[in-house]
Amino acid sequence: MAELPIPDVPPARCSGRFTISTLLGMEEAGRGPYTPTEGSSCDSAQPTQLSSSTLCTRTFGYNTVDVVPAYEHYANSKGVGDPRKGRPSLADLHSILKPDPSRLRTPVSDVQHSNGLPEAGPEAGLEEAEGEPGRDSEPEPVRFGWVKGVMIRCMLNIWGVILYLRLPWITAQAGIALTWLIILMSVTVTTITGLSISAISTNGKVKSGGTYFLISRSLGPELGGSIGLIFAFANAVAVAMHTVGFAETVRDLLQEHDSLIVDPTNDIRIIGVITVTVLLGISLAGMEWEAKAQILFFLVILVSFINYLVGTVIPATAEKQAKGFFSYRADIFAQNFVPNWRGPEGSFFGLFSIFFPSATGILAGANISGDLKDPAIAIPKGTLMAIFWTTMSYLVLSATIGACVVRDASGSLNDSVAVGSPGCEGLACSFGWNFTACAQQQSCRYGLSNYYQSMSMVSGFGPLITAGIFGATLSSALACLVSAPKVFQCLCKDQLYPLIGFFGKGYGRNSEPIRGYMLTYVIAVGFILIAELNAIAPIISNFFLCSYALINFSCFHASITNSPGWRPSFRYYSKWAALFGAVISVVIMFLLTWWAALIAFGIVIFLLGYVLYKKPDVNWGSSMQASSYNMALNYSVGLSEVDEHIKNYRPQCLVLTGPPNFRPALVDFVGTFTKNLSLMLCGNVLIGPRKQKMPESRLMADGHTKWLMKRKIKAFYTDVVAEDLRSGVQMLIQAAGLGKMRPNILVLGYKRNWWTASPQSLEDYVGILHDAFDFKYGVCVMRMKEGLNVSGVLQAHVNLTFEAAEHPENGTGSRAAPGTADPTTLASEQQASTIFQSKQGKKTIDIYWLFDDGGLTLLIPYLLGRKKRWAKCKIRVFVGGQINRMDEERKAIVSLLSKFRLGFHEVHILPDINQKPRPEHIKRFDELIAPFRLNDGFKDEATVNEMRQGCPWKISDEEVDKNRAKSLRQVRLNEILRDYSRDAALIAITPPIGRKGRCPSSLYMAWLETLSQDLRPPIILTRGNQENVLTFYCQ
């Protein structure tokens, strides 16, 4: 089928074979084995009309347009049905190949290898972040591996001043055992989050945007956008926090040497602004310089940590012993193993809230995902390794310092005593020191419980610990300074929020967000100048925890939806562990600072609401979409198990709109009473050869759906290709819907030009009504004075099935040539206004319930009256009756309606319904059917059938005579409608039913025409399927 004729030309240099190693070798070169190159051609005798970029190869020993799997065929995939690079389309393989000389290319057999593969160019290995082939003239962007790009960056961001200044104090308060528990609890949350990050980041190609990219592409733009904005802001303010931490340390050093610049507060501002300016310069110099600075900070911290460990094994001097350091002692370890709570923060959760921020920072590597060589490998490996090594450092530090330093010490060399001296209490007595006095008075200045600089005191060289503090604060500030613009840049490019697109522009080979850097710098300087971050710090911690919670929830949600697209290559995760991580992150938010948690949730909900309101036009294949499908599928299947009941009857409408934008009034009418209530399905029959119409169907379906969404009509669109209208509608009637969500009412427009249209189209129209009744559908025919079809106004195609070209009013099929309009143009065209979009005021909805059809004639106007635009309309019910029994019949109908609880209180009996119509109206009816009469002279049935052969719409004289009373009833009803309902907003009436095979289509259309002609308000001819749709029982 997809084979090409083998030309009678010298064979190309190919062996007709391929191997896996060949494919892998070509992929490593950056190009699939069958990716088309410039000048490629199909090696065939005939040029063929193929989709763009299709390459013909001799891979399997014969000439074919089929290609073997290649990377490029799947790159930049966006949605089902999108064209792929290099892969032939189904039409190329399946359809008949037609010669197209304009697309003939020059053979390039000389560029093929002996294995038949096109040679990859030297630039084939370079792939831009956007998936486009790189060019030799462009410099290659800087990319980092998992150590330099993720692990070191995360470790630096996790390590902070708490490691140096607070962990010894926490160990003194909680004891070594509970401190380890606090550390392991914190690490459990971050490890679960790390596993979730690993799973998400290995489920497809990760681009720049870090945390925002991961969450938004998993959960969708609503949650992703809100988290992305606050996460970028939190990183910007965190720059100020870490910088102020550094500035305070420098200020304290200056204060010790009486060298303040101005005063303590302004010194923090001056040092902080200078520091963040230097960090900005490092960032603007490029990611390579920033990475070098991070390695320098990492080495400083490692040296300081080694310096501390060395200090623990050096024998303690008398000065250090006076401050509580006695090297490793088993009894010190035993005493510090248990807790000793002190002060207002002396509780387990109080200390947990202090320590937990030091375990965060695991997102630093993911935040620069666009600058990593292979994010799918670097993020899981680097993040988890960073968590492991920082956890080990915390545990080692807690255990070692708890085994070396006592809780209380005076720092005075005069407190040394002989071992075993009387009156000496405490563990230090056994080491020759008496700290009893200051311990009892709680005035000790040194010891784990009192001296924050215990690490510096224990270390071999104290200034190295200060250098470690500098390295920890500056590295964290630098990591946040880089993370914030990178995340914000991706958010700006997605255009989820207004007025931020300016900051999304990138510069240089790494697309550096220089504008984002400047914005981050301004925010950081602003908070540095405040110099009081105690109030904002808890909010920032909660913002980070929000991110953790949503990352874990993203992993859980993607797993629970069972989407086939969720295939992470990282397997060591659990959806239930991810859910636990999400819940515990929220719990920790409230444990840290409950009011900050409420503020964080409030901001997230506000931003979420904004994106939900704006409905950005993005499609990222999120797990929310998968969840929606799952829910719809489960509910639809569950609905099939529920037996139908009259109380739960809903009018589910198949609306023969043709292209929906051609009949907006019909769409608006049905959409008004089905919105948020029942199913609405817009059906279109494409008339013509299947081969010709299928491309049009695929092209236009998306555009019609978008048009309905823009008009805020909650409906589905479907089309079928058929040889004629009636067979197409039969397909729709039988196949439309799913399970119990199937149409039960056929809604269509009235055929205004039936008497001038082709007789066969008239026969098809009435046949459609008969088909609907055959399939137990109710029928609703809508007629408006000005018509329904606005295709003439839109200058669009004309349907010739229902009506002639000069009156394109109310068709439901489509004969347009493919390509008359594209989906984008269709969705963006100006929306036509209809009567059903405006408020009706204090008019009336008149219901002529002439025949008992099960109640559908009552139900549709009732549902319409519940809508805001029709709420002020008064509903009147008209029924036929006898003049001498008007009161009894009215009371009976009022009683019945009250049992239905419809709220219809105005009931009118029509006693003159059986009066003879006016002669001129009878004459007009006779003139209407005259062209369709057989004029057979009341011959026998066999003769009539022979005369009517080939023209079944003809009316015999006997049929005219037998149906005379019924015909006159329609004439009289039209007179009543014009008398009673000339000012109504809407008329609903029960039409007559023409018996199939006994009532010619022309006679039935004459009845409908006579009944509904010359009426100003819209009229709906509604006929149920004779089964109850209303009940006054409660079970």
Side-chain angles (χ1 to χ4, degrees):
M1 189 177 297
E3 297 179 18
L4 295 175
I6 299 178
D8 187 16
V9 294
R13 291 179 294 168
C14 62
S15 63
R17 298 182 179 89
F18 73 97
T19 63
I20 295 299
S21 60
T22 303
L23 295 179
L24 294 177
M26 295 306 297
E27 184 176 340
E28 288 173 1
R31 182 186 297 274
Y34 296 98
T35 304
T37 57
E38 199 65 39
S40 301
S41 74
C42 300
D43 188 13
S44 66
Q46 285 183 317
T48 57
Q49 186 173 358
L50 302 174
S51 62
S52 61
S53 301
T54 302
L55 182 66
C56 299
T57 60
R58 294 189 178 190
T59 307
F60 301 99
Y62 60 88
N63 215 7
T64 177
V65 298
D66 245 339
V67 295
V68 296
Y71 172 83
E72 283 77 6
H73 301 164
Y74 298 90
N76 288 336
S77 59
K78 293 182 179 179
V80 177
D82 287 353
R84 310 291 183 212
K85 292 183 179 180
R87 181 193 299 144
S89 69
L90 187 61
D92 293 337
L93 300 173
H94 180 258
S95 301
I96 297 175
L97 298 175
K98 298 180 181 179
D100 184 7
S102 65
R103 302 187 61 168
L104 181 62
R105 298 171 183 168
T106 305
V108 287
S109 59
D110 56 330
V111 299
Q112 294 182 339
H113 293 293
S114 61
N115 59 3
L117 302 179
E119 184 177 4
E123 76 283 355
L126 180 62
E127 183 181 8
E128 296 294 332
E130 296 300 324
E132 297 296 331
R135 294 177 295 181
D136 290 340
S137 58
E138 294 183 359
E140 186 176 354
V142 177
R143 295 287 186 257
F144 304 114
W146 70 272
V147 176
K148 193 175 179 181
V150 181
M151 188 184 79
I152 291 179
R153 192 175 298 272
C154 287
M155 290 178 71
L156 288 172
N157 215 24
I158 293 171
W159 281 331
V161 291
I162 292 179
L163 170 69
Y164 294 96
L165 302 181
R166 289 294 182 272
L167 189 56
W169 174 78
I170 292 173
T171 303
Q173 289 268 3
I176 296 173
L178 291 184
T179 301
W180 276 38
L181 181 60
I182 289 173
I183 294 171
L184 293 176
M185 284 177 60
S186 303
V187 170
T188 299
V189 177
T190 56
T191 302
I192 291 173
T193 307
L195 294 175
S196 298
I197 292 173
S198 302
I200 296 172
S201 62
T202 58
N203 189 53
K205 187 174 181 179
V206 177
K207 297 183 180 179
S208 61
T211 305
Y212 161 71
F213 184 88
L214 295 177
I215 296 177
S216 62
R217 270 53 176 182
S218 295
L219 288 179
E222 297 84 6
L223 284 171
S226 57
I227 283 298
L229 199 58
I230 66 171
F231 187 76
F233 177 76
N235 271 286
V237 180
V239 175
M241 286 182 57
H242 295 301
T243 305
V244 167
F246 168 78
E248 285 181 349
T249 307
V250 175
R251 189 270 318 268
D252 292 342
L253 288 175
L254 293 175
Q255 211 165 11
E256 286 182 12
H257 296 84
D258 296 326
S259 301
L260 288 177
I261 304 172
V262 182
D263 57 65
T265 302
N266 284 318
D267 279 10
I268 292 177
R269 292 170 178 161
I270 294 170
I271 297 169
V273 171
I274 294 173
T275 303
V276 79
T277 304
V278 173
L279 294 177
L280 176 67
I282 296 174
S283 301
L284 293 178
M287 288 298 296
E288 195 168 3
W289 283 96
E290 186 268 347
K292 290 177 180 177
Q294 293 285 32
I295 291 177
L296 175 63
F297 292 140
F298 181 72
L299 292 176
V300 169
I301 293 176
L302 281 184
V303 169
S304 69
F305 200 73
I306 293 171
N307 170 54
Y308 158 76
L309 291 176
V310 170
T312 59
V313 297
I314 296 176
T317 62
E319 184 178 347
K320 287 188 176 183
Q321 287 184 354
K323 294 180 180 180
F325 171 62
F326 298 98
S327 294
Y328 290 105
R329 306 276 183 166
D331 44 0
I332 296 179
F333 180 85
Q335 186 185 56
N336 289 336
F337 190 78
V338 294
N340 182 19
W341 310 112
R342 299 183 186 182
E345 295 170 335
S347 65
F348 181 82
F349 286 109
L351 296 177
F352 178 82
S353 65
I354 292 172
F355 174 80
F356 183 79
S358 68
T360 60
I362 62 172
L363 300 178
N367 286 337
I368 63 160
S369 54
D371 297 302
L372 302 175
K373 291 178 182 176
D374 189 349
I377 293 177
I379 292 176
K381 198 171 182 180
T383 302
L384 294 176
M385 288 299 290
I387 293 173
F388 173 77
W389 288 117
T390 52
T391 302
M392 294 303 298
S393 66
Y394 284 140
L395 295 176
V396 168
L397 175 60
S398 174
T400 54
I401 204 163
C404 295
V405 185
V406 295
R407 285 191 170 104
D408 294 300
S410 64
S412 173
L413 295 173
N414 298 326
D415 287 338
S416 61
V417 295
V419 177
S421 298
C424 183
E425 298 179 3
L427 186 62
C429 297
S430 59
F431 307 131
W433 292 87
N434 185 3
F435 302 137
T436 306
C438 73
Q440 291 177 348
Q441 297 173 8
Q442 295 186 355
S443 59
C444 295
R445 292 179 55 198
Y446 294 94
L448 283 183
S449 296
N450 310 294
Y451 188 47
Y452 290 155
Q453 300 283 352
S454 294
M455 275 190 70
S456 179
M457 181 263 293
V458 170
S459 66
F461 184 60
L464 282 179
I465 299 299
T466 304
I469 295 173
F470 288 172
T473 53
L474 292 178
S475 63
S476 296
L478 188 57
C480 293
L481 183 60
V482 171
S483 297
K486 295 283 186 181
V487 173
F488 194 58
Q489 182 185 34
C490 185
L491 181 64
C492 293
K493 288 182 178 179
D494 288 337
Q495 298 180 343
L496 300 183
Y497 298 101
L499 308 177
I500 63 173
F502 173 80
F503 299 100
K505 183 175 175 59
Y507 296 86
R509 56 183 181 176
N510 272 51
S511 187
E512 295 290 347
I514 294 179
R515 295 174 180 177
Y517 280 127
M518 299 309 299
L519 178 63
T520 305
Y521 174 77
V522 170
I523 294 173
V525 169
F527 281 96
I528 288 171
L529 293 178
I530 294 174
E532 268 300 328
L533 297 177
N534 290 336
I536 198 71
I539 299 178
I540 295 173
S541 297
N542 277 283
F543 282 167
F544 285 120
L545 279 167
C546 269
S547 304
Y548 291 179
L550 283 179
I551 286 173
N552 284 308
F553 183 73
S554 299
C555 181
F556 166 75
H557 197 263
S559 302
I560 206 71
T561 54
N562 294 322
S563 172
W566 175 250
R567 302 184 302 274
S569 56
F570 182 86
R571 300 291 184 182
Y572 305 103
Y573 73 95
S574 166
K575 58 185 175 183
W576 301 114
L579 178 62
F580 173 77
V583 173
I584 205 67
S585 296
V586 175
V587 172
I588 292 173
M589 288 175 65
F590 285 92
L591 286 178
L592 293 180
T593 318
W594 65 267
W595 56 266
L598 292 178
I599 292 175
F601 274 110
I603 295 174
V604 170
I605 291 172
F606 173 77
L607 295 174
L608 170 67
Y610 176 82
V611 179
L612 285 172
Y613 173 75
K614 294 297 290 184
K615 291 186 173 70
D617 187 18
V618 294
N619 182 13
W620 295 327
S622 67
S623 61
M624 287 298 180
Q625 294 173 327
S627 177
S628 298
Y629 177 86
N630 270 7
M631 291 175 63
L633 181 63
N634 291 333
Y635 282 128
S636 298
V637 173
L639 198 61
S640 300
E641 302 172 0
V642 179
D643 293 333
E644 294 180 352
H645 194 281
I646 302 173
K647 285 169 61 178
N648 293 324
Y649 174 85
R650 294 169 186 262
Q652 304 189 108
C653 300
L654 171 60
V655 192
L656 300 184
T657 58
N661 59 318
F662 280 15
R663 295 169 183 81
L666 191 62
V667 171
D668 290 340
F669 163 66
V670 180
T672 300
F673 68 82
T674 59
K675 186 176 183 180
N676 299 326
L677 176 78
S678 58
L679 175 69
M680 175 180 174
L681 192 63
C682 295
N684 183 17
V685 180
L686 298 171
I687 301 167
R690 182 164 57 94
K691 187 179 299 183
Q692 176 186 348
K693 288 298 176 179
M694 283 306 294
E696 180 184 351
S697 172
R698 290 193 296 266
L699 177 68
M700 300 304 296
D702 187 53
H704 290 313
T705 301
K706 289 182 177 178
W707 184 89
L708 290 167
M709 293 170 62
K710 184 178 179 181
R711 203 171 179 85
K712 298 182 179 179
I713 299 294
K714 295 188 176 182
F716 298 98
Y717 169 83
T718 187
D719 53 34
V720 294
V721 178
E723 294 298 327
D724 59 79
L725 178 66
R726 185 174 181 183
S727 61
V729 174
Q730 288 174 344
M731 294 179 196
L732 287 172
I733 290 176
Q734 295 179 80
L738 179 69
K740 292 293 179 69
M741 295 184 64
R742 300 178 62 86
N744 49 30
I745 299 174
L746 181 70
V747 183
L748 66 165
Y750 178 72
K751 188 172 180 61
R752 295 178 67 199
N753 66 332
W754 62 273
W755 60 90
T756 59
S758 65
Q760 186 57 49
S761 69
L762 170 63
E763 192 74 11
D764 283 348
Y765 184 86
V766 177
I768 288 171
L769 302 181
H770 288 310
D771 293 338
F773 289 130
D774 286 342
F775 288 108
K776 294 289 186 180
Y777 272 57
V779 171
C780 182
V781 179
M782 183 176 181
R783 182 175 188 179
M784 296 180 67
K785 186 177 182 180
E786 60 274 18
L788 294 172
N789 196 326
V790 298
S791 59
V793 179
L794 298 175
Q795 296 181 350
H797 52 270
V798 177
N799 166 37
L800 302 178
T801 303
F802 263 132
E803 44 214 331
E806 61 269 17
H807 293 99
E809 294 296 342
N810 297 312
T812 60
S814 173
R815 286 185 180 270
T820 53
D822 61 272
T824 305
T825 304
L826 183 62
S828 61
E829 72 178 20
Q830 185 176 1
Q831 298 276 351
S833 178
T834 68
I835 186 175
F836 297 100
Q837 291 180 314
S838 57
K839 291 186 177 181
Q840 299 302 312
K842 296 183 178 180
K843 297 180 181 179
T844 62
I845 298 176
D846 291 350
I847 304 172
Y848 289 82
W849 195 25
L850 305 179
F851 307 103
D852 190 351
D853 61 344
L856 187 62
T857 308
L858 295 173
L859 182 61
I860 291 179
Y862 165 73
L863 297 175
L864 202 64
R866 295 201 307 180
K867 302 300 179 179
K868 187 176 180 180
R869 293 182 181 131
W870 296 79
K872 293 184 179 180
C873 290
K874 182 171 60 175
I875 298 180
R876 303 187 299 178
V877 179
F878 296 85
V879 295
Q882 301 176 14
I883 192 169
N884 57 345
R885 301 185 68 250
M886 286 180 57
D887 289 340
E888 292 84 351
E889 291 180 353
R890 183 182 181 280
K891 288 180 181 178
I893 294 298
V894 169
S895 175
L896 178 61
L897 294 178
S898 66
K899 287 182 171 62
F900 287 147
R901 307 173 305 283
L902 296 173
F904 300 165
H905 303 296
E906 188 170 340
V907 177
H908 299 269
I909 305 298
L910 301 173
D912 50 354
I913 195 172
N914 292 318
Q915 290 183 2
K916 189 175 182 180
R918 291 196 285 271
E920 62 270 23
H921 294 156
I922 298 176
K923 181 181 178 182
R924 184 167 65 173
F925 174 79
D926 291 337
E927 292 173 350
L928 183 64
I929 64 172
F932 301 96
R933 293 192 62 169
L934 196 60
N935 296 319
D936 57 291
F938 294 94
K939 291 186 172 58
D940 60 87
E941 185 174 354
T943 305
V944 169
N945 290 336
E946 185 177 350
M947 293 177 64
R948 198 156 47 186
Q949 190 71 30
C951 48
W953 52 84
K954 289 287 187 177
I955 312 171
S956 68
D957 292 344
E958 184 177 359
E959 289 167 340
V960 172
D961 185 62
K962 282 185 177 180
N963 292 290
R964 189 65 178 174
K966 197 170 186 177
S967 301
L968 294 180
R969 169 67 71 90
Q970 312 312 315
V971 178
R972 177 58 188 155
L973 280 174
N974 179 256
E975 294 176 348
I976 292 174
L977 293 178
R978 284 190 286 173
D979 289 341
Y980 286 89
S981 302
R982 66 170 64 92
D983 297 322
L986 179 73
I987 299 173
I989 188 170
T990 314
I993 291 184
R995 191 172 295 278
K996 186 169 58 174
R998 294 296 180 183
C999 179
S1001 57
S1002 55
L1003 178 59
Y1004 185 69
M1005 286 304 299
W1007 288 347
L1008 299 185
E1009 174 69 25
T1010 302
L1011 178 63
S1012 60
Q1013 66 186 354
D1014 299 333
L1015 295 173
R1016 186 197 61 79
I1019 180 170
I1020 52 173
L1021 307 169
T1022 308
R1023 189 79 195 212
N1025 62 358
Q1026 302 305 113
E1027 294 182 1
N1028 290 350
V1029 300
L1030 298 172
T1031 181
F1032 42 76
Y1033 295 108
C1034 62
Q1035 63 179 13

